[in-house]
Structure formats: C-alpha cells, structure tokens
RNA sequence: GGUCACGUAGCUCAGUAGGAUAGAGCAACUGCCUUCUAAGCAGUAGGUCACAGGUUCAAAUCCUGUCGUGAUCACCA
C-alpha cells in the first residue's frame, strides 16, 4: 500500500537527478501523510530540501504535473503552499486501502509478510532475577519490555529465544543461607504462616541485611571506625557469608543441600508470579552452571595477556585505566565472570546468533561497556556481531528510588497485583473479569512509557484507569467486536462507487497502513511504547468514527459494508497488537 | 570530576527519524444516551518546548556551552 509513497520518492528522485545531474539522497525528499485533513495541507505532502525558494517552486510545479499525470486515478489535484507540495487524493485511493486488506484476507500476517527474517535468530535475555528475593516492580518493567520486544520480533518473522538467566549463586545467596542458619533454622514457608515461598526467602535476605547494619553500627562504636569499608572488614556476619561462598564454590555437600532447598522455594514463587503475568521463557539458564565456563575462559585470557594477575592474586582487566576485577583474590567469581560464561555457553549452543539483546537496567551501562569491550578483544574467539544492551530507567516508588539490594522498601509484583485487583473490584461490575483487567492495566501502564524515562510509581495514580490505558483499548475492541458479531462479512472486494470518505474514516485508513512501519520502528528503537502509542491513537480514531457514524443501522448497504470492513481491519490490528503486548483480550466488557 | 540518560500545559506523558498554527490523558468547566457497548464522543481553558548560542529555506527535534534532576564510575549481583 505504501507503493504510492515509494513511487513518489522515485519520481522525485528522478526529476532531481535530471535537474542537478548528481545523486540524490532520500534525505533530501520527505513525504508525509497528513492526518489532519485541512483544506490547505491535503492528504499527502512532498517536501524537498532545496536552498532556493524560487527554484523550488518551479521544481514543485514540474513534479506535481508529472505525478498528477501518472496517478490520475488516485490524485485529484496538487497545490503549492510555502515550502510544501500538497496532493489531494481521490476517495478511490481510500477504497483501495480497504481492498488491499481484503485481498490479503484481512490477515495481519499476510500483510506483514517477512519471510526474509525467518532464519535470523534473536536471543533476548530478560528478567534475570537473583534467587534471594521475590520479583519486584523493577523486574516487572524489565520483563514487560523484554517480552514485548520479543513478541514484535516474532511477529516480524524472526526466530526468537526468550531467555532467562537466574543469578542463583554469589554472595547474596550465601547471605540468605547464613540468615536461615542463624535466625530461621528449621523454619519453612509453610511454618511461617504459609507465606508464598519466595517471599519467605526475601525475608531471610533482608533479615541478614538488617542484622549486618546493626553489627556495623556496633563496630563503629567499639573500634571507633568511621569508614564503612573498614567496618565491613571486621564484620563477623560477612565473614560467615564469604566463607559460605568459598564452601559453595568448593562444592561443600551441606552447603549445596541448603542452597538447593532455598532456591527451590524461590523458584516455586517465581513460577507463580510468571504465571500470573503469563510470561513464558524458551530457555532458563543458571549462573551456577555458566560461571564455570567463565572461570575457565579467564585463564585463557591470562595466557593471551589480556587479563592480568594483581599483586594480591586477584585477576583483572584494564579498562580506561581502571582495574576491573574478574576473579577475587580468594578465587571466587563475580557477576562479570558469569556473564562471560553465559555468553560463551549461548554461542556454543546456538552457533549463529543474529542479535543478542540484554534487557538490563541503566545502572548497568558501565558493566555492559566492559563486557562488550572484553568481547571485542577476543574477536577471533567470540564471534558475535550484534550485541545490544537494552537499558531502561528506574521505577521510583512514591518519589523515592527503590534501592532493592539494601532496603526492604520494594514493591513486589505479587503485592501490586493484589492491590490492583482490589481497586478494580471496586470499579467494575463484572466480577469475572477483574483479574484480566487488572493484569492488563498493570502491563499497559508500564509499557506505555518510553524505557528511557523514569517511572514514578504511585498507587493512587497508577490505579487510575482513565485515558491512555488498557481499558480504553479494550473497550474499543469490545465495541467493534460486538458489531462484527452481529453482522459477519466475507472477504469480498468492494466495487468502486462515487462515495465520499469522511475524515474520521480517512484517519483510520491512513493509520492502518502504517502498522508494519510501527512494528519495525519499535524494534529499531528498542521501544515498545511506540506500539502502545499507536494503538491508542488508532483507538481514538475508531471511537470517534464509531460515535459519529452509523454502521449497522446504515440504510445504505454499500456504506454499511464499507464501514464493516474498516471495523474488521481495525479489530485484527488491535487483536494483533494486544497479543504482542500480551494484555488480555476480552470480547465483551 | 568523567560517562550516560532526562528537562515540553498544574500533574503524567506524545511529538510521525528537521517541516506548516505545539499534541493527548488526568484534574477544572460546557454540551451529547428514545439510536450499533456513554468505561465513550464533541468542546472551552491551560505553553517563552530549562537557558544561551550555532547549523539551514525550515529546529521542541541536530551541534556546542550553561543550569537542573537521576544513574554510574568494580572485588554487590
């Protein structure tokens, strides 16, 4: 359908070539659809970037004539206003848009039709939780961005692996183990008020942090130390945890057994939360397995003199004159060790990866810079061209940053869902749909914001369901669905008749042909909010159209058919988009 | 201090990969259900696009500088 626009480009290019006798970029030509149909702008505008205005007017006239001659069927006239060449389309053009969709059986997959991509493998690494506490709203943003981007790639025909790596090893887990031993020995989630098992583990972890803080305050007093780093060195609790880590890496049986027990509790909880969100992964990796690959690799790096051994026997990588520690002096590994290991594991498993995306918060930009730098150093060995860190900004709570690692002021996803359910229950009559509406609303609210922006999470505001929100999209869907249910139509081409399209119909049709472009833009910019903004605008167009026009009750059978077809196309696009964002689709609301 | 984001209406955010008179939602006010779902539609009011330069036919958008907010700068993951 964008053929017309493409041909406009070609014709403009050819003309400019003739005149200037040199190569012309697409940048010099801009072609726009106008969605506000005012009498000056027309339907399609061509803008040429040429310095001389006098010259431009001549060229516009020339180009206008050429295009008008060639597309008499579609174009009524052209006008030159200021710097713009405006074309006024015949209604026939809009009818063609509908017929184009009917020809493709109003099947969105036929319209997107991207066979070229089907051998390109995209791996999207998202969520990546630590196994020491439940998933919180920071994870939620991560998960929703990752999942939506994955689904768009899928829709565009790529092979997609949704991958999750669970950070199930490291000092944080050992802190949890110690906490259980010291403060909760013998207690299970069941014995602890039958609390959701991952929440129980979260309690263990934060108990450790609380006790550690107490101890450090005590150390300040006792040894008259002011520096936190020095105080930490004297902490007995941390010593315990560190010893536990060494035990763990040495495969100590007792330690591993307890570790497995606690992890099991966490995974059981994760599973339930993912189920509520309807998130499924194609692959789950565990840091406890991949870190060994990383460790081995680091030894290779020492041989190649890319990594170096420090005086205290820790191993580091020099990055902007800074020593980046890869292995501690006691030989235990770090986050980056695991990251390298996981990458190597994936390369071995999949062989040809077209693009690897890490969805990880923006606080880790530095970390990924290092990782990518290391990969570049090993370009003979690590063969991956496209690797990208999709970073997103923080989720603040009531104006404050959530420091999830240190303080117990996190909003867990489970609790958010509970609160939303309660709120929706008050507002909505149909009680069967509460869960769907509340999940849909939560998801939509997180996705609709550009990943680079901070989300200021506030229950009062977030629970508001008016405006650009899930319910609005859902309501639009249900409205059209009910019409089409009452009058089903076949995919039959519409005959040409002298019918004037209304602006609200034109608006929908112009937006409809942008759909593929929107999907592509969303992944090119790694921004799922582009898609939500699109379906919001489309929904607005549709509601306006619905309220101002008679569809089923129209006496003119031809117009009735035409409008029903518009409804059908919109319904399919909304359906597809909602599936991509993965918000529930309710036929009746 | 270095690096990276962000700064648009009272609030929350858009701004179509530089284009015409700056766009929505919330909150406020005014209309519209005898008519296909009013969880909707239409309208009023609200703006020095942080500030200052530069690039050009054209800048909220690109470049430079300043200010403000946040993140980060390693033996936490």
């Amino acid at each position: 359908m964008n053929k017309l626009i493409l041909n406009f480009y070609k014709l403009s290019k050819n003309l400019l070539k003739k005149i200037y006798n040199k190569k012309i970029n697409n940048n010099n030509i801009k072609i726009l659809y106008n969605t506000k149909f005012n009498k000056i702008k027309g339907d399609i505008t061509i803008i040429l970037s040429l310095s001389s205005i006098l010259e431009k007017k001549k060229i516009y006239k020339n180009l206008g004539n050429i295009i008008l001659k060639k597309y008499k069927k579609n174009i009524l006239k052209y006008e030159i206003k200021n710097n713009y060449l405006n074309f006024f389309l015949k209604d026939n053009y809009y009818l063609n848009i509908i017929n184009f969709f009917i020809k493709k059986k109003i099947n969105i997959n036929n319209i997107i039709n991207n066979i070229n991509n089907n051998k390109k493998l995209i791996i999207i690494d998202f969520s990546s939780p630590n196994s020491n506490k439940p998933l919180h709203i920071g994870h939620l943003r991560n998960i929703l961005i990752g999942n939506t981007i994955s689904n768009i790639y899928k829709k565009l025909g790529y092979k997609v692996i949704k991958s999750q790596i669970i950070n199930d090893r490291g000092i944080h887990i050992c802190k949890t183990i110690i906490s259980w031993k010291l403060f909760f020995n013998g207690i299970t989630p069941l014995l602890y008020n039958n609390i959701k098992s991952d929440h129980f583990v979260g309690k263990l972890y934060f108990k450790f942090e609380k006790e550690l803080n107490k101890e450090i305050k005590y150390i300040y007093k006792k040894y008259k130390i002011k520096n936190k780093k020095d105080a930490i060195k004297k902490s007995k609790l941390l010593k315990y945890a560190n010893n536990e880590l060494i035990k763990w890496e040495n495969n100590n049986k007792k330690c591993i057994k307890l570790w497995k027990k606690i992890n099991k509790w966490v995974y059981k909880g994760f599973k339930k939360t993912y189920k509520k969100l309807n998130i499924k992964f194609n692959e789950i990796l565990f840091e406890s397995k991949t870190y060994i690959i990383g460790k081995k690799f680091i030894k290779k790096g020492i041989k190649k003199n890319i990594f170096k051994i420090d005086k205290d026997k820790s191993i580091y990588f020099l990055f902007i004159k800074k020593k980046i520690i890869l292995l501690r002096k006691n030989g235990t590994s770090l986050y980056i060790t695991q990251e390298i290991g996981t990458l190597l594991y994936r390369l071995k498993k999949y062989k040809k990866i077209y693009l690897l995306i890490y969805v990880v918060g923006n606080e880790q930009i530095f970390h990924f810079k290092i990782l990518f730098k290391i990969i570049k150093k090993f370009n003979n060995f690590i063969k991956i061209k496209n690797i990208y860190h999709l970073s997103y900004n923080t989720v603040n709570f009531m104006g404050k940053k959530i420091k999830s690692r240190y303080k117990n002021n996190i909003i867990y996803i489970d609790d958010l869902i509970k609160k939303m359910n309660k709120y929706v229950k008050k507002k909505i009559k149909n009680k069967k749909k509460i869960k769907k509406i509340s999940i849909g609303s939560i998801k939509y609210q997180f996705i609709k914001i550009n990943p680079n922006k901070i989300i200021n999470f506030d229950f009062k505001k977030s629970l508001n369901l008016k405006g650009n929100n899930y319910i609005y999209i859902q309501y639009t869907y249900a409205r059209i669905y009910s019409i089409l249910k009452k009058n089903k139509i076949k995919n039959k081409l519409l005959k040409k008749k002298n019918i004037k399209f209304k602006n609200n119909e034109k608006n929908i049709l112009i937006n409809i042909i942008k759909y593929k472009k929107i999907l592509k833009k969303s992944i090119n910019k790694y921004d799922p909010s582009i898609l939500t903004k699109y379906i919001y605008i489309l929904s607005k167009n549709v509601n306006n159209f619905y309220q101002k026009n008679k569809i089923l009750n129209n006496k003119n059978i031809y117009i009735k058919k035409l409008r029903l077809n518009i409804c059908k196309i919109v319904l399919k696009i909304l359906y597809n988009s909602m599936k991509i964002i993965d918000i529930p689709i309710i036929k009746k609301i």
Side-chain angles (χ1 to χ4, degrees):
Chain A
M1 235 317 107
N2 288 314
K3 261 187 190 169
L4 189 71
I5 295 278
L6 279 176
N7 286 335
F8 275 30
Y9 267 113
K10 267 186 200 167
L11 290 171
S12 312
K13 235 182 186 178
N14 287 343
L15 184 72
L16 290 178
K17 244 189 214 170
K18 256 189 201 169
I19 295 167
Y20 293 100
N21 201 15
K22 59 179 175 183
K23 279 187 182 175
I24 302 292
N25 280 334
N26 269 1
N27 297 340
N28 296 349
I29 305 159
K30 185 153 188 175
I31 300 176
L32 310 163
Y33 276 110
N34 296 318
T35 38
K36 284 178 191 168
F37 299 94
N38 77 36
K39 283 178 184 172
I40 301 164
K41 288 184 181 179
D43 300 87
I44 296 178
T45 297
I46 296 184
I47 306 155
L48 301 178
S49 37
L50 302 168
S51 48
S52 157
I53 298 175
L54 281 175
E55 198 178 17
K56 192 183 260 185
K57 281 206 170 173
K58 270 186 195 170
I59 294 171
Y60 274 163
K61 209 173 181 184
N62 205 336
L63 184 59
N65 284 332
I66 290 171
I67 290 175
L68 190 61
K69 242 187 193 175
K70 200 153 191 192
Y71 294 100
K72 264 185 185 169
K73 280 183 188 172
N74 285 321
I75 298 168
L76 187 71
K77 60 171 179 172
Y78 74 88
E79 274 175 16
I80 301 164
K81 273 269 148 64
N82 302 330
N83 283 309
Y84 308 92
L85 174 58
N86 297 323
F87 290 93
F88 294 75
L89 295 174
K90 287 181 181 170
D91 289 278
N92 188 23
Y93 177 77
Y94 292 97
L95 184 69
N96 285 344
I97 294 177
I98 300 174
N99 276 335
F100 169 80
F101 275 83
I102 296 174
K103 266 182 208 162
K104 302 266 180 182
K105 294 175 185 169
I106 316 193
N107 182 332
I108 302 300
N109 290 333
N110 290 344
I111 287 146
I112 291 168
N113 183 27
N114 248 332
I115 313 161
N116 303 339
N117 293 332
N118 70 1
K119 280 181 183 170
K120 291 175 182 166
L121 178 69
I122 315 276
I123 296 182
I124 305 194
D125 178 320
F126 64 99
S127 189
S128 51
N130 296 350
S131 65
N132 64 332
K133 56 178 180 291
L135 299 165
H136 55 75
I137 52 176
H139 289 120
L140 184 60
R141 190 171 198 186
N142 181 312
I143 291 165
L144 297 176
I145 291 172
N147 196 46
T148 309
I149 291 290
S150 304
N151 291 343
I152 298 173
Y153 271 111
K154 261 191 198 170
K155 191 42 78 180
L156 290 173
Y158 294 87
K159 264 191 184 172
V160 177
I161 304 278
K162 295 182 189 180
S163 180
Q164 174 188 211
I165 173 128
I166 297 179
N167 300 310
D168 63 337
R169 61 150 293 284
I171 194 76
H172 56 296
I173 312 298
C174 295
K175 285 177 178 175
T176 316
I177 293 173
I178 293 294
S179 175
W180 190 81
K181 275 184 176 175
L182 292 179
F183 314 116
F184 292 83
N185 206 338
I187 299 175
T188 63
L190 194 71
L191 292 170
Y192 199 89
N193 291 331
N194 199 11
I195 186 176
K196 190 161 172 279
S197 53
D198 51 338
H199 288 249
F200 177 67
V201 177
K203 289 224 187 288
L204 300 183
Y205 178 75
F206 287 111
K207 176 72 178 170
F208 183 95
E209 291 293 326
K210 212 178 171 184
E211 292 299 323
L212 181 65
N213 267 335
K214 268 190 201 169
E215 195 195 10
I216 283 172
K217 271 181 193 170
Y218 173 75
I219 291 167
Y220 283 150
K221 268 188 186 174
K222 193 181 175 187
Y223 298 98
K224 289 175 185 171
I225 295 172
K226 284 179 183 174
N227 190 335
K228 200 175 182 182
K229 271 189 179 176
D230 293 331
I232 280 172
K233 278 178 190 168
K234 292 200 182 265
S235 159
K236 276 184 184 174
L237 277 174
L238 274 181
K239 239 178 216 168
Y240 288 148
N242 280 322
N243 283 338
E244 201 67 21
L245 186 61
I246 295 170
K247 274 188 198 170
W248 187 91
E249 290 208 9
N250 288 327
N251 240 333
N252 177 301
K253 272 187 185 174
K254 269 189 184 174
C255 170
I256 297 286
K257 201 181 168 188
L258 193 52
W259 171 74
K260 278 187 179 167
K261 186 177 174 177
I262 291 175
N263 274 344
K264 239 187 184 176
W265 287 336
V266 177
Y267 301 150
K268 201 179 159 191
F270 282 178
K271 216 178 174 181
K272 282 182 188 169
T273 309
Y274 283 134
K275 203 179 174 187
K276 283 181 207 167
L277 294 170
N278 191 33
I279 301 294
K280 288 166 197 157
F281 291 92
N282 305 104
E283 172 185 83
I284 299 176
L285 302 178
F286 296 93
E287 184 184 339
S288 57
K289 286 180 183 162
T290 57
Y291 88 102
I292 300 166
I293 305 170
K295 259 185 154 179
K296 279 183 191 166
F297 176 78
I298 284 165
K299 280 169 195 167
K300 261 187 200 171
I302 297 168
K303 275 183 192 169
K304 290 194 173 181
N305 212 19
I306 293 173
F307 304 142
K308 283 169 187 168
I309 306 172
D310 212 351
K311 284 171 196 168
D312 65 355
K313 287 185 180 174
S314 61
I315 293 163
Y316 68 88
F317 172 69
L318 213 58
F319 180 74
I320 329 177
K321 292 180 184 174
K322 278 176 188 166
K323 284 179 184 174
I324 310 299
I325 307 294
L326 304 173
L327 281 179
R328 291 192 187 92
K329 57 187 171 187
N330 64 12
T332 55
S333 57
L334 289 142
Y335 184 37
I336 189 104
T337 327
Q338 169 277 113
E339 204 73 80
I340 296 167
T342 311
L343 178 61
L344 292 172
Y345 173 84
R346 282 180 175 138
L347 283 171
K348 204 177 172 188
K349 186 175 173 186
Y350 296 109
K351 283 168 192 157
K352 264 196 179 176
I353 299 172
Y354 179 73
L355 170 64
L356 174 58
I357 301 172
Y358 292 94
V359 183
V360 184
N362 68 352
E363 72 275 7
Q364 310 226 14
I365 289 173
F366 188 62
H367 168 82
F368 278 97
K369 261 192 184 171
I370 296 164
L371 181 70
F372 296 165
K373 186 86 184 178
I374 290 174
I375 289 165
K376 262 196 178 174
K377 288 262 178 189
F378 286 90
N379 60 357
N380 294 327
F381 186 74
I382 304 178
K383 285 184 179 170
I384 182 153
K385 278 182 198 165
N386 301 319
I387 189 161
Y388 185 77
H389 172 206
L390 197 177
S391 71
Y392 55 90
N393 216 323
T394 42
V395 182
N396 288 358
F397 177 62
M398 307 301 261
K400 281 183 183 174
K401 205 224 157 182
I402 299 168
K403 288 185 177 171
S404 54
R405 283 180 222 144
Y406 309 111
K407 285 180 187 171
N408 193 359
N409 64 348
I410 315 170
I411 309 298
Y412 293 131
I413 296 175
D414 295 325
D415 299 333
L416 172 62
I417 293 173
K418 259 186 211 168
K419 275 213 174 185
M420 193 55 133
N421 278 339
K422 258 190 190 175
Y423 177 81
V424 173
K425 214 175 193 175
K426 281 183 199 165
K427 299 265 167 181
I428 281 156
K429 294 166 198 166
N430 191 332
K431 292 199 171 170
K432 283 180 188 170
K433 280 150 196 170
I434 290 169
K435 276 190 182 173
K436 281 186 178 177
I437 288 170
S438 99
I439 285 286
S441 303
I442 290 171
K443 284 187 172 181
Y444 193 90
Q445 290 205 16
F446 273 75
I447 296 171
K448 79 176 182 187
I449 293 171
N450 178 315
N452 274 333
K453 297 226 172 175
I454 294 170
I455 293 183
N456 279 309
F457 192 82
D458 188 324
F459 272 119
K460 279 182 195 166
K461 284 177 192 165
S462 298
L463 293 176
N464 194 342
L465 299 177
K466 289 183 178 175
N468 179 6
N469 241 313
Y470 166 67
I471 295 218
Y472 184 77
I473 310 293
Q474 175 54 60
Y475 178 70
T476 314
Y477 181 89
R479 262 184 155 178
I480 312 169
Y481 182 86
S482 86
I483 284 186
L484 288 165
K485 203 184 171 189
K486 284 170 192 161
N487 200 326
K488 283 175 187 166
I489 45 163
K490 288 176 186 172
N491 291 332
K492 258 191 175 175
L493 290 179
L494 294 166
K495 283 175 191 168
K496 281 174 194 173
K497 278 191 182 179
N498 274 337
I499 284 198
K500 274 220 157 188
F501 278 84
K502 287 190 170 182
N503 282 351
N504 51 48
E505 291 164 327
K506 286 182 183 177
N507 260 326
I508 294 175
L509 293 169
I510 290 297
N511 271 320
I512 275 169
I513 52 177
K514 286 180 183 167
Y515 190 53
K516 187 175 171 184
K517 209 177 161 189
I518 291 291
L519 291 180
K520 277 187 177 172
K521 198 182 165 190
S522 304
I523 55 167
N524 286 343
K525 288 200 161 188
Y526 297 97
D527 180 1
S529 74
I530 290 169
L531 180 60
T532 59
K533 277 153 208 160
Y534 170 81
I535 58 172
Y536 175 60
I537 290 168
L538 186 63
S539 298
K540 275 189 82 161
N541 291 336
V542 170
N543 277 323
N544 179 302
F545 162 79
Y546 181 96
Q547 210 105 5
K548 283 189 175 172
N549 301 322
K550 282 186 180 176
I551 303 167
L552 275 182
N553 299 340
N554 206 307
K555 285 174 191 170
N556 185 327
I557 297 171
Y558 182 79
I559 292 179
K560 184 178 162 184
K561 251 190 199 172
L562 190 141
R563 287 182 179 161
L564 279 171
N565 270 300
I566 293 177
C567 286
K568 200 172 173 184
I569 298 165
V570 167
L571 191 81
K572 287 279 175 82
I573 286 181
L574 284 181
Y575 181 88
N576 258 271
S577 308
M578 289 167 89
K579 278 276 173 202
I580 287 171
I581 306 168
D582 195 29
I583 45 181
I585 296 165
I586 306 171
K587 288 172 181 171
K588 227 179 174 185
I589 194 164

